[in-house]
Each structure stands twice: as C-alpha cells, then as structure tokens.
Amino acid sequence: MRIMSVHRCPPTPAATGLVEPHAPLLRHPPAGQLLYKVMSVENCLGSIERGYLHFNRVDSYKDFPGADRHDGEQLPGDRVGNAAAAFVKAPGFSAADYYDRSRSRTYAFCAALEDTDHVWTYGSGSPKGNVGLVFEFDRLRATLNRMLKSGGAGLEFRGIRCRQIFDLNYGMVDYVDWATHRANEARLPNPITYAYLKDAGQFAQERELRISLSALGIGKFVLDDLTEIDFPQHLHLDFDFRAAFADGTIREAVCGPRCDVAFLSAELTRLGATTVVIGKP
C-alpha cells in the first residue's frame, strides 16, 4: 500500500483523509526542532531510491528485541470501561472494538527529538552499518501537508488508485505508567490518543516524535468491485528525498560508528543526493 501524489482520484463514498485534524489533541515541538531518523544504510538508500517514507502499522511491532507490543493499544485500565460503551445503532460493537479496529488501521513514522546513544541502536545489525538523517521538523511537516491536502494525493492498493483515506497527524509521544494510567476517566478519548501513549518505564528513552496516518475505525473500505481493502503491515508515503536534501528539509546524513562511509557516499552521489553533508556521531 502506498500514498502518492496524483492529479485526480476517482470518486468513491469513502471520506477523504484530512491533514492534522487532531492537532489540538497532540503535543508539538517548538519551532526549529530537529528530528533524528536512524536506520540501516540499506534501508535508507532503498527509501531514497524508491522515493518513500516507511510507515509501520502500530500493532505490528512484535518481531524484534524491545518491540512495543502495546503500541497504539488502548490502556489496560481503560478497556473494561471501553468495552461497556456500545454504539446506539450497533449495540454489538463497543468502543473497545472501535479502538482495536482503529489501531489496526493506524501507521507511524517514528523519529527521535534528540541525538542520543539510544537512537544509534536502530539499524545497527546491518552489514553496511547505520545512518541517521537529520530532518528539520517544520519543513518536513510543511512538505507532507502540501502533498496530502484534499484532492492532492491518492492511495494505491494492489495497483489500483483509490481515494486517500488516511488522516495525517504529528505529535510528541507521551510516556505514562502503562499499568495505571487512564485516558477515559472523564470521557471516551479520540482513538488518536492511544497512538501517542507509551510506557515510560520501557520507552521513555526513545524521546519520540511520530507522524501518523490513520483511517476511520468504523465500517469497511472496499473497491468498486466490493473487494475489501485490507491494511498491510507497511505503508509507503511518496517523498522526494532529492528535493528534501536540496531545500534543507534534510540537513545531513550522520554515519553510525560502523557505517561503510565510502559505500554510502558513492550511493548518495549515484542517487543525486550531492548536497548531503555526511557527518559522524
């Protein structure tokens, strides 16, 4: 599944995704904030060459050490109350069901607000080492918002172009006591709230800002032939890395301690990223 820039999308009954509809519910960093996205050299070059930002479905973090199996999940203290709240027109479908389905339709691109030793653990098992891209958050946000304005982007599913159904949001993750924190004490929260909560005891060192793409957690999304759209583990959002390097959206590429600098430099040159300043941690 991929979100791409298109001139026009065929009309469908599905609502078009919105840009920052939940901004008032989320915390944003100050102006001038830098983001540190560390990944393997191979994954970095693949993203640049094929022109995308890689998003993971938040309920899919399972198969690596330290993975947050509860990412995007409703809090354990909330679940009983959420399960007791049903929809008037669908009494068999509870708020807990709604939050679970929303989670299965939410994707995240994660970066760090600080350049710490912890961020350099990501992508470190690669033969070519790892590399960190330093983004200017304000420029990145402006670029993605322009792309996903209503009518300016489409969703590709199994080679078919569809209406863009994902809401785009940005926020700093809030770290809480996962076992005791409640988000539904006063009222049922918006599903986006759960996508920006993590356990402080395990994950506070991440200092994460995430960009989320989330689809409505009610109903089903189908193509014109009634084929149901499933939500794969990964989603790619079109992104022009060459333009981002040129206009300062990406300030530099920082090499990890075991990075193959010669290989990375040669590949960046081949890909036309000639304005990149390669630094070292």
Side-chain angles (χ1 to χ4, degrees):
M1 185 179 286
R2 183 168 181 142
I3 297 176
M4 59 184 61
S5 298
V6 296
H7 295 295
R8 191 181 183 95
C9 298
T12 75
T16 301
L18 302 175
V19 173
E20 298 200 62
H22 305 123
L25 303 177
L26 302 171
R27 292 190 305 119
H28 300 106
Q33 177 70 51
L34 298 180
L35 301 179
Y36 303 88
K37 178 65 175 179
V38 178
M39 65 196 100
S40 70
V41 167
E42 294 89 336
N43 285 342
C44 177
L45 293 173
S47 294
I48 295 170
E49 185 162 25
R50 293 188 287 277
Y52 64 78
L53 295 179
H54 182 87
F55 285 70
N56 284 308
R57 205 177 66 209
V58 296
D59 64 352
S60 67
Y61 295 109
K62 301 174 182 178
D63 301 326
F64 57 92
D68 185 1
R69 294 176 175 269
H70 298 295
D71 195 308
E73 186 178 355
Q74 57 195 299
L75 296 160
D78 287 356
R79 186 172 283 276
V80 172
N82 293 343
F87 289 80
V88 173
K89 294 185 178 181
F93 189 76
S94 70
D97 296 326
Y98 173 48
Y99 292 131
D100 285 340
R101 186 176 293 179
S102 295
R103 183 189 183 210
S104 72
R105 298 174 176 182
T106 298
Y107 295 80
F109 172 88
C110 307
L113 293 162
E114 297 178 3
D115 182 1
T116 64
D117 290 342
H118 178 75
V119 303
W120 290 101
T121 63
Y122 299 117
S124 57
S126 159
K128 298 296 184 181
N130 56 358
V131 59
L133 298 182
V134 183
F135 289 86
E136 283 197 15
F137 172 66
D138 296 330
R139 289 177 179 267
L140 177 62
R141 182 182 191 179
T143 297
L144 299 185
N145 284 1
R146 282 195 303 270
M147 177 185 166
L148 268 71
K149 288 294 185 183
S150 180
L155 177 68
E156 183 180 274
F157 176 73
R158 297 180 184 173
I160 300 172
R161 286 185 175 179
C162 316
R163 185 180 295 269
Q164 201 293 98
I165 59 175
F166 290 96
D167 289 340
L168 171 68
N169 284 285
Y170 311 83
M172 298 164 62
V173 170
D174 287 317
Y175 298 94
V176 300
D177 185 325
W178 183 258
T180 63
H181 188 74
R182 295 285 301 279
N184 69 351
E185 285 184 316
R187 62 182 63 87
L188 292 176
N190 188 291
I192 201 67
T193 300
Y194 292 125
Y196 288 84
L197 293 177
K198 284 193 169 188
D199 181 52
Q202 297 186 68
F203 303 107
Q205 62 183 335
E206 293 178 351
R207 293 280 290 124
E208 180 185 333
L209 180 137
R210 62 175 35 182
I211 304 170
S212 64
L213 291 164
S214 55
L216 188 66
I218 297 176
K220 297 180 179 180
F221 294 92
V222 297
L223 304 176
D224 288 342
D225 65 0
L226 300 184
T227 298
E228 184 176 346
I229 295 177
D230 55 21
F231 291 82
Q233 183 176 348
H234 309 297
L235 185 152
H236 290 163
L237 174 63
D238 271 10
F239 186 74
D240 188 341
F241 277 90
R242 295 170 183 83
F245 288 130
D247 68 13
T249 298
I250 302 176
R251 282 196 176 184
E252 62 178 337
V254 181
C255 295
R258 289 175 293 281
C259 174
D260 187 334
V261 180
F263 172 78
L264 176 61
S265 299
E267 287 298 290
L268 289 174
T269 299
R270 178 181 68 83
L271 295 172
T274 54
T275 61
V276 176
V277 177
I278 296 181
K280 295 184 178 181

